[in-house]
Amino acid sequence: MAKFVFVTGGVVSSLGKGITSAALGLILKRVGLNVALQKLDPYLNVDPGTMSPFQHGEVFVTDDGAETDLDLGHYERYTGISCSRKSNYTSGQIYETVIAKERRGEYLGHTVQVIPHVTDEIKAAIRGLATRDIDVVITEVGGTVGDIEGLPFLEAIRQFRFDVPAEDIIYVHLTLVPYIRAAGEMKTKPTQQSVGRLREIGIQPDVLIVRTERPMSEDMRRKISLFCNVDPHAVFEERDVEHSIYEIPVQLVKQGMDGHLAKRLGLGPRRIDLSDWERMLENIRNPEREAKIAVVGKYIRLQDSYKSIYEALAHAGISHKAKVTVDRVDSEQVEKDGAEKLLAAADGILVPGGFGARGIEGKISAIRYAREKGVPFLGICLGMQCAAIEFARNVLGMKKANSTEFDPKTKHPVIVLMDEQRRVVKMGGTMRLGAYQCALGAGTKLRAAYGTDRAYERHRHRYEFNNAMRRKFERAGMIFSGLSPDGKLVEAMELKHHPWFVCVQSHPEFKSRPLDPHPLFRDFVGAALAGRKG
Ligand code: GLN
């Protein structure tokens, strides 16, 4: 029987519940357990795939093709475990299932209600992860205690207490202890109120993790324990980190989180070894070199929009004992100021994925700059498509070349809608999604990076390179270094005469981990370091 850890949050959002859940995942994995992680999102969208990155940040894609919450990216990066579509449920999805059952008559004439029908469906989603090989399921409930949408989820996890033995379930609550500058004091009241709210619903947290800016005193820990009815040994501090979010698990282990969880789950003493993780942190703290990478995109203002890209760049830096400084460049600004002005200091340029025409011309100018000046370039998904447009326009002289996504009537359609997409009418979950194999061409930079002849990467797109253009591109020095195994889809391309110019149709950033940086990001940053401008 699997055990269950539930993570809720209070006081404010953006406390880092996802990172905390991921850190608990790593800790439990390293005490020898098989862990599965999951996020329950209270919003009504069926998945975040249809939401703007400005609203929701990055959409994280799993191997099995689910468009999910970006917290799953943290889960994968910390634990090294691959998530599936069972790792993310939304209210929209839960209600869709309930309503479909009702339409099929499966409730046999009963009135369909939040309790028990919706809560049963939520509990089934949680239990769905508890397969025979899994020791612990960690379920993070999105949102903040007190949100109206969150209530059915909290009610479901409250009921769970009666479905499994008491020692098989832990409620973890993450709150904030703010420092009030004017008073020169840290305040526990918001935490007390948040736990009070949770207890009104019927959930008594077993573990409190308290986000702080400054160290928490022993007195304060005792006070929180007393007012929140939580064992003082179960009150943990999660202080703002100095260098990297990957410090969190170590911070928690230093306070005995591993032992506490093991004991609480009735597991007896367990040893934890985080030495490889600590070495990785050492590399982050003591970089020997630096590379400046410009990420040129449309959603630059928001830190979360290209989350996995930024993380993958940081991982690549770790593998070179280098600090990667990311310069977030707004592609629309490139249209106004020109590439030279904004990119002159960059050792490497990356154009990430995206949708829609806004900012496209800026991305194309940035790519032209990278190609002509020999600056290492990595193009991802839309980044590859823009590289194809740039090459067609400026090398092959097809001045009006474009993707039919942006100019449906273009005379030179270098990027076109995929055949399988032509009949698609629904927006949600209908792109080419999930992991596909890619055959890597011999003697290419792509193959050199992967070190094998097959890659297995995740996709999220509707458009593809137009095969009718292949010959022209090849004759002018473009190599199609990655193809689908049947040879029909261009999955990657690179320039023959350039220090490092590689583009992929997939999203390799989703598979990069701090202990196992993605080879393409590693080689991209390696090339940036090699050609560094001093
Ligand atoms: N908009 C492009 C497409 O649908 C690229 C998608 C992406 O970058 N993820 O093909």
Side-chain angles (χ1 to χ4, degrees):
M1 265 298 283
K3 299 174 188 288
F4 297 88
V5 175
F6 293 105
V7 182
T8 57
V11 184
V12 288
S13 57
S14 301
L15 282 183
K17 264 196 318 287
I19 289 172
T20 303
S21 305
L24 295 178
L26 174 72
I27 292 169
L28 288 172
K29 187 178 167 196
R30 292 301 180 93
V31 299
L33 300 174
N34 266 340
V35 183
L37 289 111
Q38 178 182 54
K39 169 104 189 260
L40 304 178
D41 276 310
Y43 54 73
L44 284 169
N45 302 62
V46 171
D47 62 42
T50 52
M51 272 189 251
S52 155
F54 284 129
Q55 289 267 316
H56 190 267
E58 163 187 280
V59 174
F60 189 80
V61 181
T62 55
D63 277 331
D64 62 351
E67 298 177 277
T68 71
D69 187 77
L70 57 79
D71 278 334
L72 273 69
H74 294 306
Y75 304 166
E76 292 203 355
R77 288 188 281 270
Y78 280 72
T79 65
I81 298 164
S82 285
C83 292
S84 72
R85 59 176 65 248
K86 287 186 182 170
S87 298
N88 193 196
Y89 286 88
T90 67
S91 289
Q93 230 170 305
I94 298 285
Y95 278 94
E96 202 180 37
T97 312
V98 170
I99 292 168
K101 278 189 181 170
E102 187 273 334
R103 291 289 84 182
R104 288 197 300 268
E106 287 182 28
Y107 294 112
L108 305 176
H110 285 277
T111 306
V112 182
Q113 295 181 296
V114 172
I115 304 171
H117 302 104
V118 170
T119 48
D120 278 354
E121 211 55 58
I122 296 171
K123 289 199 285 180
I126 297 165
R127 256 185 248 106
L129 267 195
T131 46
R132 287 183 67 175
D133 53 326
I134 293 299
D135 302 311
V136 188
V137 175
I138 300 176
T139 299
E140 174 193 349
V141 181
T144 314
V145 172
D147 298 346
I148 290 177
E149 296 106 330
L151 282 172
F153 290 101
L154 295 175
E155 168 59 16
I157 69 169
R158 180 197 69 77
Q159 293 172 16
F160 228 87
R161 171 72 98 205
F162 300 101
D163 298 348
V164 296
E167 66 171 24
D168 286 356
I169 182 166
I170 301 184
Y171 295 103
V172 177
H173 189 56
L174 184 69
T175 71
L176 176 71
V177 169
Y179 174 74
I180 308 295
R181 203 164 305 259
E185 267 184 74
M186 287 161 76
K187 292 292 181 188
T188 64
K189 186 71 82 192
T191 291
Q192 295 174 37
Q193 285 177 340
S194 175
V195 173
R197 207 65 198 262
L198 206 53
R199 291 171 70 193
E200 272 171 35
I201 299 168
I203 298 172
Q204 168 62 53
D206 302 294
V207 173
L208 275 183
I209 302 180
V210 175
R211 284 297 314 275
T212 64
E213 218 179 296
R214 309 188 166 211
M216 180 170 69
S217 67
E218 257 329 290
D219 263 1
M220 199 157 275
R221 191 188 300 268
R222 267 197 298 276
K223 187 172 173 190
I224 294 173
S225 151
L226 188 64
F227 282 88
C228 298
N229 192 30
V230 172
D231 176 351
H233 301 294
V235 180
F236 292 84
E237 170 187 297
E238 196 179 291
R239 208 184 324 155
D240 291 356
V241 288
E242 204 179 324
H243 297 280
S244 156
I245 52 168
Y246 298 117
E247 291 167 26
I248 300 286
V250 174
Q251 212 187 78
L252 293 175
V253 166
K254 278 198 183 127
Q255 299 170 68
M257 181 64 90
D258 50 326
H260 186 78
L261 293 180
K263 193 165 137 212
R264 185 53 192 67
L265 292 171
L267 297 171
R270 297 263 177 147
R271 253 179 52 78
I272 188 160
D273 181 8
L274 286 175
S275 50
D276 53 348
W277 197 267
E278 304 251 19
R279 273 197 302 280
M280 179 266 292
L281 290 175
E282 273 307 296
N283 282 352
I284 295 180
R285 285 189 207 108
N286 306 301
E288 289 163 7
R289 297 185 285 170
E290 191 195 353
K292 286 203 183 73
I293 303 293
V295 174
V296 184
K298 184 163 72 167
Y299 311 110
I300 288 301
R301 271 184 290 132
L302 198 77
Q303 163 80 17
D304 279 351
S305 301
Y306 305 113
K307 188 92 211 159
S308 295
I309 298 267
Y310 299 142
E311 289 304 312
L313 286 170
H315 304 162
I318 297 169
S319 70
H320 292 288
K321 286 201 170 186
K323 180 176 165 51
V324 173
T325 307
V326 174
D327 184 15
R328 300 195 233 155
V329 180
D330 184 343
S331 48
E332 288 180 278
Q333 205 58 43
V334 179
E335 289 167 13
K336 291 183 195 123
D337 297 347
E340 178 85 45
K341 182 167 169 220
L342 295 174
L343 300 173
D347 304 313
I349 296 171
L350 187 152
V351 176
F355 297 84
R358 194 158 55 78
I360 285 296
E361 295 304 323
K363 292 177 192 175
I364 293 171
S365 309
I367 296 167
R368 177 176 199 169
Y369 177 85
R371 182 177 56 76
E372 290 181 345
K373 304 277 180 191
V375 181
F377 174 75
L378 177 57
I380 290 180
C381 206
L382 181 64
M384 175 177 116
Q385 298 176 355
C386 287
I389 298 169
E390 191 281 318
F391 195 79
R393 286 185 190 174
N394 302 320
V395 178
L396 301 174
M398 304 174 185
K399 288 289 167 241
K400 289 265 157 78
N402 216 328
S403 161
T404 55
E405 180 180 1
F406 315 127
D407 179 3
K409 298 211 174 71
T410 173
K411 226 175 92 197
H412 302 292
V414 274
I415 304 293
V416 291
L417 195 64
M418 302 179 73
D419 281 341
E420 64 193 42
Q421 289 288 326
R422 290 188 198 282
R423 253 169 272 130
V424 169
V425 280
K426 278 200 199 158
M427 286 298 283
T430 53
M431 282 186 250
R432 179 178 182 233
L433 287 166
Y436 286 90
Q437 256 197 34
C438 168
L440 310 175
T444 62
K445 293 193 178 79
L446 192 72
R447 171 99 151 238
Y450 280 98
T452 56
D453 58 2
R454 285 287 151 118
Y456 197 62
E457 297 287 0
R458 302 177 192 173
H459 292 252
R460 182 172 185 251
H461 62 116
R462 294 187 201 280
Y463 293 81
E464 61 169 323
F465 185 85
N466 182 355
N467 286 324
M469 303 274 179
R470 272 203 214 175
R471 291 284 298 280
K472 285 196 189 112
F473 270 64
E474 275 170 340
R475 276 202 295 266
M478 188 64 86
I479 305 169
F480 295 104
S481 46
L483 297 175
S484 56
D486 64 4
K488 288 187 181 152
L489 286 177
V490 170
E491 300 280 31
M493 57 185 214
E494 60 186 65
L495 281 178
K496 200 184 287 178
H497 306 294
H498 190 287
W500 208 91
F501 188 105
V502 177
C503 310
V504 287
Q505 185 58 74
S506 61
H507 288 276
E509 70 272 23
F510 294 142
K511 288 183 53 167
S512 185
R513 280 126 194 217
L515 292 180
D516 188 14
H518 193 284
L520 276 183
F521 281 83
R522 183 201 61 212
D523 283 11
F524 168 55
V525 169
L529 284 163
R532 186 152 165 69
K533 303 203 168 98

